[in-house]
Amino acid sequence: QQKMIVIAEAMGFGVLALSMQVVMDRICYGYWVLTPLNFIVFNVSGGASAYGVHPWHWYFSQGLATIYMSTLAPALVGIYQSGKLQPIIPVLFTTVIHSMLDHKEFRFLLPTAPIMMAYAGVGLLEISQSSAPREVPSDAADPNQKSRRQSSLRWWMCVFALAVSGLGPALYLSFFHQRGPIDLMRWLAVEAHTPTESEQEMNVLYLTACHATPYYSMIHKNISMQFLDCSPPGLRPLNPHDEACRGEGWGASKQNQEKWHESDRFHRDPTGFLECAFRSKDGGLRLPYTHLVMFEGTKEKLKEWLSSASFAPKVELFHSHIVLDDKESPTIVVYQRQGWA
């Protein structure tokens, strides 16, 4: 009877949450849509593979350890010592199901965190009590006092170890690692709100990997911005930037267009891509942008082209000590059209 009550409560809250989500999506999108179903269809059909592919074991070999970090060990102790394996079933189910998908992200496993943190609490309690003496002399004033003192000391040692092991990575990842896009958008926001003498409105092109910046969320002004398209096959623009070269390098066949999106084609041949996109038949450049954003590695390949197009480096911003993507570099560079100020 208690199990039926729990199941009924879970189903009730689940239906309520799903109904609220559907209503909110209807209000925001303007039409009826079931986003959890779209998530499943998009990932199962392979559409998400355009944003990266990982091996089947990635969550078990890297994902879980990255998400839980130093709490993983006490969580495993808690699973073993608690003797209650029912709560771990949703964790395993979620991890196994998502492991079957080609595209994997850390955030997909975040719903498992509350359960694992509960196990970690049990594990910490067990570790803190494991050093307590099993027998205490009968002539002691308080037979339990020493045991409680040792248990408390062990507990705080565990908490301190977890805090120290987690605080360093948390501070580094929050304030230094991959901070470039945030600093970039702050700089562009200041530029966008600074009066200029030029008649041309600010117009920014991001020559980066897919979704590399927060984009408009930090600009707070209606300026023109574009980034290289990286939509999955079937959803790509009919007239890409490098449309002029459709019959030459990348795009004579539809197969190549479906295989490589704009960002891929650009990073394969940055100069060739920009020539196709912005060089007119009479040899001139039709480049409407005032600012070009790119990583340092891309800048090195485009130095001569950018100079010939009358663009000069305006600012360099630190991005990351550790580069995790071959399309990124430790520094982000903003080029500005000469004469625009």
Side-chain angles (χ1 to χ4, degrees):
Q1 184 178 3
Q2 185 177 3
K3 290 182 178 179
M4 293 303 298
I5 293 175
V6 172
I7 293 175
E9 289 179 346
M11 291 182 63
F13 282 111
V15 171
L16 176 62
L18 184 60
S19 301
M20 293 174 63
Q21 182 182 38
V22 170
V23 172
M24 288 299 297
D25 285 341
R26 176 66 177 84
I27 294 173
C28 295
Y29 288 111
Y31 56 89
W32 293 107
V33 59
L34 191 59
T35 49
L37 179 61
N38 284 354
F39 172 84
I40 295 173
V41 172
F42 186 67
N43 280 275
V44 172
S45 65
S49 300
Y51 301 103
V53 175
H54 298 84
W56 66 268
H57 57 77
W58 188 79
Y59 283 127
F60 292 98
S61 59
Q62 300 182 45
L64 291 173
T66 302
I67 293 173
Y68 303 126
M69 296 186 69
S70 53
T71 59
L72 181 60
L76 295 176
V77 173
I79 294 172
Y80 177 77
Q81 292 293 338
S82 67
K84 297 180 179 180
L85 300 180
Q86 292 91 338
I88 201 64
I89 294 176
V91 175
L92 293 175
F93 178 81
T94 301
T95 307
V96 170
I97 292 298
H98 281 87
S99 294
M100 296 179 182
L101 305 176
D102 292 334
H103 180 68
K104 300 175 178 64
E105 295 186 32
F106 296 122
R107 62 191 176 99
F108 293 166
L109 294 189
L110 290 181
T112 67
I115 297 176
M116 294 296 285
M117 293 303 103
Y119 275 122
V122 174
L124 282 174
L125 181 62
E126 176 63 27
I127 293 172
S128 68
Q129 294 178 345
S130 63
S131 64
R134 299 302 179 187
E135 297 183 2
V136 180
S138 58
D139 58 347
D142 184 352
N144 296 318
Q145 184 177 5
K146 185 176 180 180
S147 175
R148 288 197 300 268
R149 188 184 301 113
Q150 290 188 352
S151 178
S152 177
L153 178 61
R154 187 67 174 270
W155 166 267
W156 284 110
M157 288 176 63
C158 292
V159 171
F160 179 77
L162 288 176
V164 170
S165 60
L167 184 61
L171 291 174
Y172 177 77
L173 295 175
S174 298
F175 293 101
F176 299 100
H177 182 63
Q178 293 185 340
R179 64 173 295 164
I182 304 298
D183 291 340
L184 167 68
M185 301 315 296
R186 287 173 177 163
W187 187 87
L188 288 175
V190 172
E191 284 287 295
H193 288 83
T194 301
T196 66
E197 297 179 0
S198 175
E199 296 181 358
Q200 183 180 3
E201 295 290 335
M202 188 172 179
N203 195 339
V204 185
L205 175 63
Y206 296 86
L207 299 174
T208 61
C210 302
H211 312 299
T213 72
Y215 212 48
Y216 275 111
S217 62
M218 295 182 65
I219 296 294
H220 305 297
K221 187 175 182 180
N222 187 19
I223 65 171
S224 297
M225 295 199 300
Q226 270 192 309
F227 59 85
L228 301 178
D229 180 79
C230 51
S231 303
L235 298 175
R236 292 175 183 166
L238 297 177
N239 299 308
H241 282 93
D242 53 345
E243 170 72 16
C245 290
R246 183 181 292 274
E248 298 178 14
W250 69 271
S253 68
K254 184 179 179 181
Q255 181 180 1
N256 280 350
Q257 183 183 9
E258 293 181 350
K259 181 179 179 182
W260 300 323
H261 48 62
E262 275 191 350
S263 180
D264 281 340
R265 299 196 299 271
F266 169 76
H267 285 93
R268 285 173 177 270
D269 182 11
T271 302
F273 182 95
L274 294 181
E275 283 288 310
C276 289
F278 304 116
R279 183 73 68 180
S280 60
K281 293 182 179 180
D282 60 5
L285 279 174
R286 43 180 179 82
L287 199 61
Y289 305 102
T290 60
H291 295 79
L292 301 177
V293 176
M294 66 199 73
F295 284 96
E296 183 182 14
T298 304
K299 179 201 75 172
E300 296 300 323
K301 300 176 183 178
L302 289 174
K303 265 186 176 180
E304 294 184 6
W305 191 93
L306 291 169
S307 178
S308 67
S310 300
F311 276 84
K314 179 67 175 180
V315 65
E316 294 189 3
L317 302 167
F318 170 75
H319 174 57
S320 175
H321 295 105
I322 304 171
V323 178
L324 303 176
D325 191 316
D326 57 2
K327 295 177 181 178
E328 296 184 359
S329 301
T331 304
I332 294 179
V333 183
V334 179
Y335 269 74
Q336 180 176 291
R337 180 188 294 277
Q338 295 178 4
W340 188 91

